[in-house]
């Protein structure tokens, strides 16, 4: 069974409640119908019920009625959620009037549904920007304990079975934090390892990547990676992690043994942590285009409950996969 099938099967076995705030968006609705047909997750669609069911009829989506449909303009918990938002943001000066306006915004409403315990995760972004998706998540759900930095991981399903775990690798950060400091980089390492475990089912072996291996080059950006490694080990002493390693030393056993003798990670890494967003974004796109790898994600990490962000150019299949991934993250978040 391939990894995506495994992710879907895990989601089916422990169904989670996933909010889709863009309930009238075509790709989202079509993916939702397939998710409901396959029994991958319990879905909460936000939007006008008549409009959603009208679109479902127009597009021949026979299982949308199995979703819970919540109209942001008119539902029984509207005031309860407004009061919750006002309480959460009162130190920032939010008034109840402002909160009542914001709960009409599906992206805010979805996060409030999760915060109140009525859902387990959220997926949006087919219509909205990353900033718009992340803002309510950080204001309402907030970051996971011990984490202050949100980041994004990418699953790389490559044609190089000798690398990672049968060609499967996870790379972070590829999506959110442009130039992390050492503390943020350590958090990215911890979170990417957790994503590798919860989504890809890997036993994470984390390589902190650089252009230097074990002091072969001297530079302040190398020093940052070395410091991040130290912090990550303090944050999670059980984590299998090493650095700084060049990419070949992290992935190729012969090179790893030569450049970093004695390392339990060198040559065996399945989680790659890059020193900055620029490197991560360029790297995964090169692997995807030149190596014909399948890149799945980005998968947002570091939020207390999963909130994922789609590309506005996403396909129906992308939405389907990300619902299953969000469900896997929700299962893991409950277990922590």
């Amino acid at each position: 069974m391939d990894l995506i099938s495994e992710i879907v099967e895990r989601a089916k076995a422990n169904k989670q409640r996933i909010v889709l705030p863009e309930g009238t968006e075509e790709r989202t609705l079509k993916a939702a119908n397939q998710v409901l047909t396959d029994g991958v997750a319990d879905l909460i669609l936000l939007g006008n019920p008549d409009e959603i069911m009208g679109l479902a009829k127009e597009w021949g989506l026979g299982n949308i009625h199995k979703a819970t449909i919540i109209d942001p303009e008119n539902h029984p918990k509207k005031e309860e959620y407004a009061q919750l938002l006002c309480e959460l943001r009162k130190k920032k000066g939010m008034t109840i009037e402002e909160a009542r306006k914001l709960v009409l915004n599906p992206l805010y409403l979805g996060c409030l549904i999760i915060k109140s315990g009525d859902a387990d995760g959220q997926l949006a972004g087919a219509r909205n920007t990353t900033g718009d998706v992340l803002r309510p998540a950080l204001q309402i759900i907030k970051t996971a304990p011990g984490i202050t930095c949100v980041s994004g991981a990418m699953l790389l399903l490559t044609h190089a079975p000798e690398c990672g775990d049968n060609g499967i690798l996870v790379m972070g950060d590829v999506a959110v934090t442009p130039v992390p400091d050492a503390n943020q980089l350590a958090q990215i390492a911890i979170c990417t390892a957790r994503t590798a475990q919860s989504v890809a089912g890997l036993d994470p072996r984390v390589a902190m990547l650089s252009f230097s291996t074990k002091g072969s080059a001297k530079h302040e950006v190398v020093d940052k990676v070395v410091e991040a490694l130290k912090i990550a080990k303090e944050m999670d002493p059980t984590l299998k992690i090493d650095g700084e390693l060049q990419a070949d030393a992290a992935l190729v056993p012969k090179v790893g043994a030569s450049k970093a003798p004695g390392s339990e990670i060198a040559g065996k890494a399945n989680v790659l942590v890059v020193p900055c967003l620029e490197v991560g974004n360029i790297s995964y796109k090169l692997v995807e285009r030149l190596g014909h790898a399948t890149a799945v994600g980005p998968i947002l990490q570091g939020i207390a409950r999963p909130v994922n962000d789609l590309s506005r150019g996403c396909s129906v299949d992308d939405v389907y996969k990300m619902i299953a991934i969000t469900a896997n993250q929700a299962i893991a978040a409950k277990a922590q």
Side-chain angles (χ1 to χ4, degrees):
M1 191 184 294
D2 67 23
L3 178 59
I4 299 301
S5 299
E6 287 176 20
I7 289 168
V8 169
E9 288 305 313
R10 284 200 299 269
K12 286 182 183 179
N14 187 351
K15 285 216 281 192
Q16 302 295 300
R17 301 161 300 170
I18 307 302
V19 184
L20 302 176
E22 298 160 327
T24 58
E25 197 279 323
E26 183 173 357
R27 293 157 297 172
T28 301
L29 262 185
K30 288 178 175 176
N33 188 69
Q34 195 60 51
V35 164
L36 293 164
T37 302
D38 296 347
V40 177
D42 293 323
L43 298 182
I44 300 168
L45 293 170
L46 303 186
N48 180 280
D50 291 338
E51 186 181 354
I52 288 171
M53 293 313 297
L55 291 169
K57 187 176 180 182
E58 181 185 336
W59 295 325
L61 309 177
N63 283 314
I64 288 297
H65 68 278
K66 294 180 181 177
T68 299
I69 300 175
I70 295 176
D71 184 352
E73 301 280 344
N74 182 27
H75 59 94
K77 290 196 169 183
K78 192 171 166 186
E79 182 62 21
E80 181 184 323
Y81 291 146
Q83 294 288 347
L84 173 60
L85 179 57
C86 187
E87 179 63 25
L88 288 168
R89 302 290 294 162
K90 68 181 180 184
K91 287 183 181 173
K92 298 291 183 182
M94 180 168 286
T95 65
I96 188 63
E97 289 77 16
E98 289 169 329
R100 285 176 182 141
K101 285 179 188 171
L102 276 177
V103 296
L104 302 176
N105 179 328
L107 296 172
Y108 275 83
L109 176 58
C111 290
L112 287 161
I113 292 170
I114 294 167
K115 186 70 173 179
S116 65
D118 296 332
D120 306 305
Q122 175 170 294
L123 177 65
R127 274 186 183 151
N128 290 279
T129 66
T130 299
D132 286 343
V133 173
L134 269 179
R135 197 172 302 109
L138 293 175
Q139 290 178 4
I140 295 164
I141 301 170
K142 306 188 189 300
T143 50
I147 302 295
T148 59
C149 170
V150 175
S151 56
M154 190 67 69
L155 295 185
L156 294 174
L157 314 180
T158 77
H159 301 286
E162 69 279 7
C163 293
D165 279 25
N166 198 30
I168 298 169
L169 295 122
V170 184
M171 180 183 286
D173 172 22
V174 300
V176 183
T177 305
V179 187
D181 61 26
N183 189 273
Q184 290 172 320
L185 193 56
Q187 293 180 39
I188 290 166
I190 300 284
C191 290
T192 309
R194 288 176 185 168
T195 297
Q197 208 163 23
S198 64
V199 175
L202 302 179
D203 177 19
R205 300 182 299 277
V206 184
M208 305 292 285
L209 298 185
S210 182
F211 60 83
S212 166
T213 299
K214 297 295 182 182
S216 64
K218 303 294 182 188
H219 194 276
E220 61 188 24
V221 297
V222 178
D223 296 340
K224 178 179 80 171
V225 175
V226 173
E227 178 64 17
L229 173 68
K230 181 183 166 195
I231 296 167
K233 284 180 172 179
E234 289 167 358
M235 287 177 71
D236 184 358
T238 67
L239 186 63
K240 295 172 187 168
I241 185 169
D242 200 8
E244 84 286 11
L245 298 170
Q246 289 161 283
D248 57 350
L251 294 171
V252 183
K254 190 173 179 182
V255 178
S258 168
K259 291 187 174 184
S263 169
E264 66 170 346
I265 302 300
K268 303 170 194 164
N270 55 16
V271 176
L272 305 176
V273 178
V274 296
C276 66
L277 177 57
E278 186 175 35
V279 172
N281 193 272
I282 292 168
S283 297
Y284 95 74
K285 288 181 177 176
L286 286 174
V287 171
E288 184 180 28
R289 300 301 174 183
L290 299 180
H292 304 289
T294 299
V296 181
I299 301 162
L300 294 184
Q301 50 192 25
I303 306 168
R305 285 291 182 269
V307 173
N308 274 309
D309 174 43
L310 294 160
S311 161
R312 277 172 285 172
C314 63
S315 66
V316 172
D317 189 52
D318 292 334
V319 182
Y320 183 97
K321 286 176 188 171
M322 287 305 299
I323 290 171
I325 285 169
T326 306
N328 276 251
Q329 288 178 289
I331 293 164
K334 288 178 180 178
Q336 280 174 5

